[in-house]
Amino acid sequence: MKVIKRTVAIASVIVVSGLFIYATTSVKTVHPYVHTTLPQAMDFCGEPVPLHLADVSERLDRELTVNKNLHATTELVIKRANRAFPIIEPILKKHGIPDDFKYLAVIESGLINATSPSGAKGVWQFMPATAKEMGMEVNDNVDERYDLEKSTETACKYLLKAKEKSGNWTLAAASYNGGLNGIMRMLDEQQVNDYYDMLLTDETYRYVFRILALKEIMQNQEKYGYQMPPSVMYPLLPTKKVEVTSNIDNLAQFAKEQGINYKILKIHNPWLRDKKLVVQPNKTYTIQIPLQGYSK
């Protein structure tokens, strides 16, 4: 009987000790949740965001709260931006497009060549008909929606047209999602002239606020818990440009002749959609060949 009592006592001590250790460990490792605090003032392309309006501040709070807690997604976007923004930024500047529009590309695709359920493709998410109307080549051989430089140029053409018709950059951004004609019609129907005064479909209603949220988080990373040293960023690798004016019957062989392989060729030239390249008369394609990053 004494043996049993002694065994029970020892077991109790072990259980209590284990709980104490676990509780102590938990206290040390669990960090308190930090709520979202809105910036005191904010703008999009120099156009003030009316945060004094109750619904506007709440809509921004929603997107900031959601995106700051999408930890893996937001971290990946920050890493990709290190590679994509140096390509996007000078093209925006060349066309007189405000730098803030690079965050539109962020929310459209996460800075990858994504495909939407509706068939939009690329970083800037062009539908095939729209891309063709704006002069991009889209077929089974070549799809320029996957070319970051060319698709950014095309996005600039659209945004300049939208700004001219709508009157400001915020409405131009909203039209990228809601359609320019649709936005203009809604302004007329609701007898307003400002994005923040419009009642829209949920996606377009949130659209500009998603851009604002990613702008705020990516410009103030440490404030939102993203401490990203340069060593973890995805690099923009240097490349050489090879101009092609005649058919390439075998892209794998072509890649080998350039000192790389088929996989690397497609990574750096995702607009090549086939195993060969058919070149029409008087047509020139520029193929990017990386100069480093793949040494074995």
Side-chain angles (χ1 to χ4, degrees), residues 100-171:
D100 281 356
F101 274 98
K102 65 191 180 187
Y103 301 107
L104 185 150
V106 170
I107 70 159
E108 279 287 336
S109 62
L111 299 177
I112 60 172
N113 278 312
T115 299
S116 76
S118 61
K121 294 181 184 292
V123 167
W124 290 94
Q125 289 289 280
F126 282 105
M127 293 292 289
T130 304
K132 290 176 182 178
E133 286 172 9
M134 302 194 73
M136 301 178 80
E137 184 175 352
V138 179
N139 52 50
D140 293 337
N141 182 51
V142 167
D143 191 337
E144 291 182 335
R145 293 177 295 171
Y146 289 97
D147 185 314
L148 183 55
E149 291 185 25
K150 290 185 177 180
S151 62
T152 303
E153 292 276 357
T154 302
C156 287
K157 293 178 185 177
Y158 174 86
L159 293 169
L160 286 171
K161 177 184 175 183
K163 164 63 161 54
E164 182 180 6
K165 188 170 182 179
S166 68
N168 64 57
W169 291 117
T170 304
L171 286 170

Side-chain angles (χ1 to χ4, degrees), residues 67-85:
N67 285 282
K68 81 168 188 177
N69 289 297
L70 290 175
H71 301 295
T73 300
T74 303
E75 180 176 333
L76 286 171
V77 161
I78 293 169
K79 290 178 178 179
R80 293 171 188 151
N82 190 65
R83 179 172 60 204
F85 281 179

Side-chain angles (χ1 to χ4, degrees), residues 21-67:
I21 292 169
Y22 177 79
T24 304
T25 304
S26 299
V27 169
K28 288 181 178 179
T29 58
V30 174
H31 302 285
Y33 177 78
V34 179
H35 64 79
T36 301
T37 302
L38 293 182
Q40 291 186 342
M42 199 168 190
D43 70 90
F44 177 70
C45 303
E47 299 169 1
V49 180
L51 292 175
H52 61 280
L53 299 178
D55 73 300
V56 170
S57 62
E58 187 171 326
R59 288 156 71 187
L60 179 58
D61 183 69
R62 174 185 181 179
E63 304 307 331
L64 275 173
T65 302
V66 168
N67 285 282

Side-chain angles (χ1 to χ4, degrees), residues 4 7-8 16 78 103 105 113 130 164 167 171 174 191 193 197 206 212 221 226-227 236 253 259 262 269 289 291-292:
I4 294 174
T7 303
V8 171
V16 170
I78 293 169
Y103 301 107
N113 278 312
T130 304
E164 182 180 6
L171 286 170
Q191 301 179 37
N193 57 12
D197 290 331
R206 297 178 62 184
L212 292 169
Q221 295 174 25
Y226 296 94
Q227 298 181 6
L236 177 61
Q253 181 60 38
Y262 182 73
N269 301 274
I289 305 297
L291 298 174
Q292 63 184 54

